[in-house]
Structures are given as structure tokens and as C-alpha cells.
């Protein structure tokens, strides 16, 4: 048996209470992981609020986890005791996710790692780094020396994207709706922190009259047209998230919506978009102090998941929220 946080149906944070469940069984092609830490994500908030599609209940949420391999398929290259992270796919949606002492996921969603980083640091990284890395590479094909605008800059993915982009040699502009968070963006290596008043294209054009090379919009469809107006001709804007919870463009007319010559891409990826070698390089850079990702708060144990969700829902954090799993001896 194991402890897990299971959501029987969408509802308030009080629905997120630990319960006893059977240990996930061995399955061909699946990896069972003893979870040591996991990060919280906006998609899990949307699941709890009942706005996610393709979800079946009851369900253990969690689209990522970090821990130790407990069981793995023969020939997979994984063995018990190996440190690993898991992310994305249908974790926490059509099969149980990371809000548990143990989780079982398809082999394709697992990345083995070699690191001595603390669990609360490693637990913050999988989905955040995967989304930021995929947005910059697959979504934008960002090159060293280019300029990048990030809309929704104080979100965990926004801060991660800024860190990765600067590390890869880009100049970073990033937005926040709160003036008191501009200094935070500067501290995180953003070259040009910008106050988002609802319209940022004019401020961007003051710095880059022709527009920026690339823009990553994490807020959603309400801000996307203005974000695209900040991009140069033959530059690219990438729709990479929806902090606004608005995903759909109604009555879409390309000639009216898209600025002339500006490309629009989308990025919603998977673990396969984060190669093992690239993730290991990032972990090594974090360990060496060359790269840093923001962890706002660490919660001690599964009992703290309701509080963590409440903090996420009410936007009390700037950076990642992480839960450290405490295992109980039931022998």
C-alpha cells in the first residue's frame, strides 16, 4: 500500500486529501518510480477546477515526478535504484500521476538522470524545463544573439525560459503585470523587464524599432495579438501556455489577426522533446551554479498539497511550487 492524493471529482482544495491506495503493479513497458518530489503545474489546477478535457476520475493528479526507479522493463536500460524523472504524456489525466509515494508511467515518459541535486531542486525541473526548452527550440528555433520577448514572465515556465534563453546567448525581454516584480525579473537575468499594462508592443518597439526576433506568449489568446505586434517581419511568435485559461481564438481571420510577415507557432510537447543529453547538461549547469531555476516554496509531505494548490490558485508564488514526499515505513 502507499499514500497518494486522489481527486474523486473536480472541486475545492479540500478534495485533495491523501488516501491509501494499492502499490502500482508491474506492467510491461511501464516504469514504477518511488517519488521523492514533484512540482505543481497550472494544468493540475485546471484539472481540479474541472476545465481539463480528456480526464477520467477518480484520479491521482500530477504531470511530473522525480524519484528512484523501483521497477522497470527488462532491456529498458533502467534498473532499480536509478534516479529518474517522469513527465507529461497522460500522467495525472488518463492514468495516475505524481501526487503519490509511487507512480507508474510508460517508459517513454521517463528520463534517467545522474545528479546529486537535492530532491526539491530536481523535483521542480522536469515539466518546467521541458516546456521552456521545447518552446525555445521546437517552437521558436531561438539562436544565440537573438532577442526574445516572454509574455507571462514571472510564471515558473516564464522564469525558466528566461534562464535558458540567457544561458543560450539570447537577449531577454520579459513582462509582469506587477511593478513590484520588475526587480525580480532583473535579478533573474532578464535584460529588459517590462510592465504589462495590457499592451506591451509599443514599449518593445521603443527598444527594438523593427521588433524582436522571437516572442513566447504564456498568457494566452487575450494577449497574443499584442505579443505578435512586437515581433519583427519574419520573426516568430509562439503560443506556449494559457495562464489566462483562455485557449481559443473565436472567428479567427488570419489577415486581421497576424501582423504582416510574422510567423505564429504553437508548442505543447512531450518528454521526447527534451533529450536526455540536453537535460543532463542543464542539471550539470545547475549543480555548477551556471544556471538557476526559481523554486518559490517547498511543501513538506502530501498533506500539504491542498495548501500548495490554494497558493497556486491565488497566484501567491513567483516560481515553482514543489512538494517533498515523505515515505512512511509500513513494514
Amino acid at each position: 500500500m502507499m499514500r497518494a492524493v486522489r481527486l474523486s471529482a473536480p472541486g475545492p482544495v479540500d478534495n485533495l486529501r491523501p488516501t491509501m491506495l494499492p502499490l502500482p503493479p508491474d506492467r510491461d513497458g511501464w516504469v514504477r518510480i518511488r517519488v521523492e518530489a514533484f512540482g505543481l503545474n497550472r494544468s493540475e489546477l485546471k484539472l481540479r477546477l474541472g476545465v481539463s478535457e480528456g480526464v477520467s476520475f477518480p484520479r491521482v493528479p500530477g504531470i511530473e515526478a522525480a524519484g528512484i526507479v523501483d521497477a522497470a522493463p527488462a532491456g529498458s536500460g533502467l534498473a532499480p535504484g536509478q534516479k529518474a524523472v517522469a513527465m507529461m504524456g497522460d500522467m495525472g489525466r488518463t492514468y495516475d500521476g505524481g501526487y503519490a509515494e509511487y507512480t507508474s508511467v510508460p517508459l517513454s515518459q521517463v528520463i534517467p538522470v545522474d545528479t546529486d541535486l537535492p530532491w526539491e531542486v530536481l523535483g521542480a525541473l522536469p515539466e518546467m524545463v521541458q516546456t521552456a526548452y521545447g518552446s525555445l527550440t521546437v517552437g521558436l528555433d531561438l539562436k544565440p544573439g537573438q532577442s526574445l520577448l516572454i509574455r507571462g514572465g514571472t510564471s515558473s515556465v516564464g522564469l525558466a525560459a528566461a534562464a535558458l534563453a540567457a544561458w543560450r546567448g539570447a537577449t531577454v525581454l520579459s513582462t509582469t503585470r506587477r511593478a513590484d516584480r520588475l526587480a525580480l525579473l532583473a535579478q533573474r537575468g532578464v535584460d529588459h523587464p517590462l510592465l504589462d499594462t495590457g499592451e506591451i508592443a509599443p514599449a518593445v518597439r521603443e527598444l527594438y524599432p523593427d521588433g524582436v526576433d522571437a516572442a513566447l506568449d504564456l498568457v494566452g489568446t487575450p494577449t497574443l495579438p499584442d505579443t505578435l505586434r512586437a515581433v519583427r517581419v519574419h520573426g516568430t511568435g509562439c503560443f506556449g501556455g494559457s495562464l489566462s485559461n483562455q485557449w481559443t481564438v473565436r472567428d479567427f481571420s488570419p489577415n486581421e489577426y497576424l501582423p504582416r510577415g510574422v510567423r505564429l507557432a504553437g508548442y505543447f510537447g512531450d518528454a521526447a522533446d527534451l533529450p536526455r543529453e540536453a537535460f543532463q547538461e542543464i542539471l550539470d549547469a545547475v549543480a555548477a551554479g551556471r544556471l538557476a531555476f526559481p523554486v518559490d516554496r517547498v511543501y513538506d509531505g502530501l498533506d500539504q498539497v491542498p495548501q500548495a494548490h490554494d497558493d497556486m490558485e491565488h497566484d501567491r508564488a513567483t516560481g515553482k511550487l514543489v512538494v517533498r514526499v515523505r515515505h512512511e515505513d509500513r513494514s
Side-chain angles (χ1 to χ4, degrees):
M1 299 294 288
M2 68 168 188
R3 293 182 85 221
V5 175
R6 186 167 68 168
L7 188 63
S8 297
V13 293
D14 289 344
N15 286 9
L16 291 168
R17 293 298 179 187
T19 187
M20 297 300 299
L21 295 175
L23 193 71
D26 290 353
R27 299 173 62 181
D28 290 341
W30 290 57
V31 180
R32 186 170 65 222
I33 295 174
R34 173 187 161 106
V35 179
E36 299 294 338
F38 58 84
L40 271 67
N41 300 281
R42 301 290 295 189
S43 65
E44 294 142 19
L45 172 60
K46 293 172 183 176
L47 181 147
R48 181 176 63 76
L49 295 177
V51 296
S52 294
E53 297 182 356
V55 181
S56 57
F57 294 95
R59 181 63 58 218
V60 175
I63 64 171
E64 66 179 323
I68 300 169
V69 173
D70 188 64
S76 65
L78 297 175
Q82 166 75 57
K83 290 182 179 180
V85 299
M87 72 196 85
M88 309 299 283
D90 284 324
M91 282 185 71
R93 298 176 64 83
T94 62
Y95 55 85
D96 287 342
Y99 287 22
E101 292 181 326
Y102 289 84
T103 189
S104 180
V105 301
L107 177 62
S108 59
Q109 309 308 127
V110 179
I111 301 177
V113 298
D114 180 12
T115 183
D116 291 325
L117 289 171
W119 287 116
E120 56 268 24
V121 175
L122 184 59
L125 299 181
E127 188 278 340
M128 179 172 67
V129 169
Q130 183 272 320
T131 301
Y133 180 89
S135 297
L136 299 181
T137 56
V138 177
L140 291 169
D141 193 25
L142 189 69
K143 305 297 184 184
Q146 289 189 322
S147 53
L148 169 70
L149 167 67
I150 301 172
R151 193 80 178 257
T154 56
S155 64
S156 61
V157 174
L159 291 168
L164 284 176
W167 185 55
R168 294 166 64 90
T171 300
V172 181
L173 302 80
S174 191
T175 73
T176 175
R177 293 174 300 168
R178 292 174 46 175
D180 60 339
R181 290 182 175 177
L182 290 169
L184 170 68
L185 290 176
Q187 292 167 6
R188 292 293 179 179
V190 172
D191 298 287
H192 301 289
L194 300 173
L195 183 64
D196 191 344
T197 61
E199 185 181 30
I200 60 168
V204 173
R205 293 279 179 167
E206 288 185 10
L207 296 168
Y208 290 84
D210 293 331
V212 293
D213 297 304
L216 174 60
D217 196 312
L218 300 169
V219 177
T221 55
T223 57
L224 187 57
D226 180 56
T227 298
L228 292 173
R229 288 193 290 270
V231 179
R232 65 169 173 81
V233 173
H234 298 161
T236 303
C238 179
F239 181 81
S242 185
L243 296 169
S244 64
N245 290 337
Q246 297 185 42
W247 298 83
T248 302
V249 178
R250 296 183 177 180
D251 301 321
F252 177 69
S253 174
N255 284 340
E256 296 177 4
Y257 195 91
L258 298 174
R260 184 171 60 89
V262 175
R263 304 180 178 101
L264 173 61
Y267 179 74
F268 300 97
D270 207 345
D273 294 333
L274 181 59
R276 177 182 179 180
E277 296 77 13
F279 190 48
Q280 187 63 54
E281 182 183 12
I282 290 169
L283 295 181
D284 292 343
V286 173
R290 299 191 301 271
L291 189 58
F293 296 96
V295 175
D296 187 284
R297 305 177 195 190
V298 178
Y299 301 86
D300 188 23
L302 296 174
D303 293 321
Q304 295 299 308
V305 167
Q307 181 61 58
H309 257 252
D310 192 65
D311 290 339
M312 178 168 56
E313 182 175 358
H314 292 92
D315 196 27
R316 298 188 185 108
T318 52
K320 194 74 171 184
L321 304 178
V322 180
V323 175
R324 183 74 164 89
V325 178
R326 302 301 178 186
H327 290 260
E328 299 179 6
D329 184 5
R330 298 186 183 87
S331 58

